[in-house]
Amino acid sequence: MCGIVAAVAQRNVQGILLEGLKRLEYRGYDSAGMTVMHKSALTRHRTVGKVAALDECLANAPLPGKAGIAHTRWATHGKPTAANAHPHHSDDQVAVVHNGIIENFEGLKRELEAAGYAFSSQTDTEVIAHRLADTLAGGATLFDAVQHTVRTLGGAYALGVMSPREPGVVIGARQGSPLVVGVGIDEAFLASDPLALLQVTDRFIYLEEGDLVELKNGGRIRIVDRDGQTVERPVHMFEYADGAASKGNYRHFMLKEIFEQPAVIGAALEGRLGEASALAESFGPEAPALFAQTRQIQLIACGTSYHAGLVARYWLERYAGVPVQIEVASEFRYRHPVVADGTLFVTLSQSGETADTLAALRFAKALGYVGSLAICNVPGSSLVRESDLALMTRAGPEIGVASTKAFTTQLIALMLLTLAVGKGRASAGEQAEIVAALKTLPDICRQVLALDGDIETLAQAFAEKRHALFLGRGAHFPVALEGALKLKEISYIHAEGYPAGELKHGPLALVDSEMPVISVAPNDALLEKLKSNLQEVRARGGELFVFADEGVGIDDSEDDVTVLYLPPVHEALAPLLYTLPLQLLSYHVAVLKGTDVDQPRNLAKSVTVE
Ligand code: G6P
């Protein structure tokens, strides 16, 4: 995935680049590096581990200079070593940072080796540095060299490039990986995400696929599209407050983001509800016409966003009467789908840049869907720009790698979709009840978050365990999946989510006193069936932890059952509410285990490689 930041400024850029990397660390954090132009020469530091290691290195040996590029890495080709860290140089004539994967790098590498270039890393990126050097040696300008080189690259890239031949210049290019231009006052910047640059500007240009950009001294910016035409791209003001990128008084971003949920759920609903429905126009001016034609929905997403889609399938069928198919993007994009008439293609993504989800959208465009809708948290992201309709989830920047508030606001957006696209299966009265319940939801969420102390105590039972099983039924089966995903992501405890009715078809064999079983048990139509499933666990000596409605009648008089009661909530919204204690449980288990909660090992927040 990796994060890129670059600057051509009127002042020393080391601090700007370093701060940018810290804010991009969610994209990868196994090594980092920076190259700065000093007295018309490239100077570089690269370190293994988090950006803090680079910070320490720079404190001892600063890199002064007014133009520079920097990178935080999530390894794809080659282990996280200093030699594999970016920027990659070719004979100190070119420096390059790269996010993405060059799929044809092996062939390019062979050609370059035959031409006498020596490789010092195992990365795919180094071919770009040497190809650029080769083209520059032929007399090309840096811009022309990048334009020429990217035409030979297969795969995905966002690039930042500099050369001592043109000291006050940085070139950027994007194809398949995100890159924005930050517009300063007589200064210009590049980054994988606007968040990285909020310290220096709130004005951004979102580059289009195939764009090249030249940043020059004095804040001059030139953009050329994939056809070689100079183009003007609009400058957008960034909406978020910069404070969103700091932890405030919380120990971790994840905890802060969990506690932000009542507020962001309120924000996600703001101005989007009628008396007994959701306002279809919230999805875009063409939404009412498109929803009228919609007969089916195809949902596509990855990771936590996929779990939000799984919940929505229950809602869309139960309340909207719309048939739904759902699949993870990495599978969908390689299938040969048969598309029924009137099917709306809906992508769910926090970042709007997930490579598989984006590829699935592009693939879907030729398949005859009635239209596309992106439910997304990042305005201006690729997914939003390339979809016919979009609904922003308004969660604000989510920094913790494990997704929390992005998930619950996606659920809000999906409930709004359910209400807006409804085909009359739910009566006006039923819809009005859901609308009323949505309005009280932020308060009920606050009550659940007040259980934090109890959940922290409960977490102690998990700290020494190696496995856990999460059970739910109906729309709470995906809640169980999400609970299990959260626990494995940040505490490294192996966890499985299961529909409780499937327990007897296999996982029951795993149940013993070493396998804690967590269940969500709201008072719904499947409660009695769930209770029977839980008896099956107790009968095998399993230890049960149940999040339940008051009065569900689960006997917790014995030591083998712990029940934590949640306030009552409308049945439709229970999946959202019951997600909260599972988030807190994972968080506290991870803290007890001493893991890196916000940046769990091997993961990254924005997955811009396939
Ligand atoms: C990564 C993140 C997950 C996220 C998934 C999909 O795996 O670590 O938290 O759910 O990508 O990301 P998206 O931005 O498309 O929702």
Side-chain angles (χ1 to χ4, degrees):
M1 276 59 83
C2 310
I4 289 176
V5 58
V8 180
Q10 306 279 36
R11 47 188 155 160
N12 266 342
V13 293
Q14 175 187 305
I16 298 171
L17 297 178
L18 194 63
E19 178 62 24
L21 286 187
K22 287 180 182 165
R23 293 167 180 227
L24 288 178
E25 217 173 8
Y26 72 86
R27 303 179 64 85
Y29 32 80
D30 61 40
S31 50
M34 182 185 295
T35 295
V36 169
M37 191 72 68
H38 183 57
K39 295 185 179 156
S40 297
L42 300 174
T43 53
R44 169 176 69 173
H45 288 322
R46 295 182 293 174
T47 49
V48 174
K50 295 199 171 191
V51 174
L54 182 66
D55 192 356
E56 216 177 292
C57 169
L58 287 164
N60 295 326
L63 290 179
K66 294 183 177 167
I69 57 178
H71 187 269
T72 178
R73 181 167 185 249
W74 186 83
T76 57
H77 296 68
K79 292 208 160 105
T81 60
N84 287 333
H86 302 215
H88 288 284
H89 287 190
S90 181
D91 199 20
D92 285 336
Q93 282 308 300
V94 180
V96 56
V97 286
H98 168 217
N99 164 211
I101 290 183
I102 305 306
E103 287 170 357
N104 58 338
F105 86 100
E106 281 167 330
L108 294 173
K109 186 171 177 178
R110 276 194 297 275
E111 283 172 22
L112 286 159
E113 279 173 336
Y117 287 92
F119 279 73
S120 59
S121 78
Q122 299 151 316
T123 66
D124 51 339
T125 304
E126 199 180 345
V127 297
I128 306 174
H130 294 314
R131 273 207 83 98
L132 285 167
D134 205 47
T135 317
L136 281 176
T141 64
L142 188 58
F143 188 89
D144 290 346
V146 175
Q147 194 170 40
H148 178 265
T149 297
V150 295
R151 288 192 180 131
T152 66
L153 304 177
Y157 55 80
L159 300 176
V161 177
M162 54 198 294
S163 166
R165 289 169 179 244
E166 297 178 37
V169 174
V170 167
I171 310 292
R174 81 157 282 192
Q175 177 68 47
S177 301
L179 194 64
V180 298
V181 180
V183 182
I185 298 168
D186 299 332
E187 301 181 322
F189 311 92
L190 288 178
S192 303
D193 178 335
L195 269 190
L197 299 173
L198 286 184
Q199 21 138 4
V200 281
T201 185
D202 57 1
R203 292 183 300 147
F204 293 93
I205 298 170
Y206 296 97
L207 295 176
E208 298 288 334
E209 289 289 82
D211 278 357
L212 255 70
V213 60
E214 181 177 54
L215 312 183
K216 271 187 163 173
N217 281 338
R220 285 169 294 163
I221 297 166
R222 175 167 70 109
I223 301 173
V224 168
D225 69 10
R226 69 164 86 239
D227 301 322
Q229 302 299 316
T230 300
V231 285
E232 292 286 324
R233 302 266 181 242
V235 178
H236 298 271
M237 294 292 290
F238 198 75
E239 290 168 17
Y240 297 139
D242 195 16
S246 85
K247 274 190 266 213
N249 292 328
Y250 289 92
R251 186 167 166 196
H252 295 100
F253 277 110
M254 182 179 178
L255 191 62
K256 175 182 174 233
E257 288 158 4
I258 290 174
F259 275 87
E260 279 172 359
Q261 288 176 110
V264 294
I265 286 170
L269 291 167
E270 189 69 40
R272 292 171 167 176
L273 288 172
E275 282 293 304
S277 188
L279 306 176
E281 304 76 33
S282 321
F283 295 79
E286 293 88 40
L290 209 45
F291 289 171
Q293 294 172 56
T294 298
R295 301 276 162 268
Q296 299 203 32
I297 288 179
Q298 171 71 61
L299 293 169
I300 292 293
C302 302
T304 287
S305 299
Y306 172 68
H307 293 158
L310 286 175
V311 173
R313 177 169 61 182
Y314 290 87
W315 287 344
L316 283 158
E317 293 185 348
R318 161 72 180 81
Y319 299 107
V322 176
V324 174
Q325 298 194 48
I326 172 157
E327 193 163 17
V328 288
S330 54
E331 286 301 314
F332 173 82
R333 61 182 288 196
Y334 293 111
R335 276 204 300 114
H336 303 275
V338 178
V339 180
D341 284 350
T343 306
L344 181 67
F345 188 81
V346 181
T347 52
L348 310 169
S349 173
Q350 188 284 128
S351 62
E353 300 292 350
T354 301
D356 283 319
T357 309
L358 205 48
L361 171 65
R362 291 173 183 159
F363 168 62
K365 287 202 169 160
L367 297 179
Y369 287 96
V370 72
S372 58
L373 161 67
I375 289 179
C376 187
N377 191 35
V378 181
S381 59
S382 303
L383 209 59
V384 169
R385 283 182 291 124
E386 295 184 28
S387 299
D388 301 323
L389 307 177
L391 188 76
M392 292 305 124
T393 49
R394 300 180 181 161
E398 191 182 63
I399 310 291
V401 165
S403 187
T404 52
K405 62 176 181 170
F407 175 74
T408 43
T409 51
Q410 278 173 343
L411 289 180
I412 292 291
L414 287 160
M415 182 48 95
L416 293 173
L417 177 66
T418 303
L419 296 171
V421 87
K423 303 292 173 199
R425 178 168 277 192
S427 67
E430 264 186 303
Q431 295 221 144
E433 276 177 29
I434 295 176
V435 167
L438 279 169
K439 290 179 180 163
T440 61
L441 192 60
D443 271 340
I444 307 179
C445 288
R446 272 185 206 102
Q447 293 170 39
V448 172
L449 294 175
L451 299 172
D452 185 41
D454 296 334
I455 297 170
E456 187 175 359
T457 308
L458 199 142
Q460 288 165 4
F462 292 80
E464 302 300 321
K465 296 287 191 272
R466 301 196 49 215
H467 307 276
L469 206 53
F470 286 73
L471 301 178
R473 293 198 70 138
H476 295 88
F477 159 48
V479 172
L481 287 174
E482 176 58 13
L485 178 62
K486 252 357 35 134
L487 191 69
K488 56 186 147 189
E489 280 179 314
I490 58 169
S491 75
Y492 314 148
I493 293 174
H494 168 233
E496 300 271 0
Y498 250 91
E502 272 291 297
L503 193 63
K504 54 192 172 294
H505 297 296
L508 202 53
L510 299 170
V511 171
D512 61 14
S513 59
E514 286 309 300
M515 171 76 93
V517 177
I518 302 101
S519 178
V520 279
N523 199 355
D524 62 17
L526 290 170
L527 176 66
E528 289 310 317
K529 303 212 177 287
L530 176 71
K531 280 162 69 178
S532 309
N533 301 141
L534 300 186
Q535 287 304 339
E536 294 160 13
V537 172
R538 294 181 77 176
R540 269 93 190 160
E543 195 180 355
L544 267 179
F545 299 86
V546 188
F547 295 97
D549 264 336
E550 295 270 3
V552 291
I554 294 175
D555 172 16
D556 59 354
S557 57
E558 306 282 328
D559 283 353
D560 60 347
V561 184
T562 307
V563 184
L564 206 74
Y565 293 104
L566 267 59
V569 65
H570 187 289
E571 180 179 344
L573 305 183
L576 198 151
L577 198 72
Y578 279 74
T579 299
L580 271 46
L582 301 187
Q583 294 171 344
L584 284 169
L585 178 66
S586 298
Y587 172 77
H588 289 298
V589 174
V591 170
L592 283 171
K593 292 198 71 179
T595 60
D596 191 338
V597 172
D598 286 331
Q599 295 177 335
R601 70 184 182 202
N602 304 340
L603 301 181
K605 186 151 194 71
S606 184
V607 182
T608 52
V609 295
E610 192 176 340

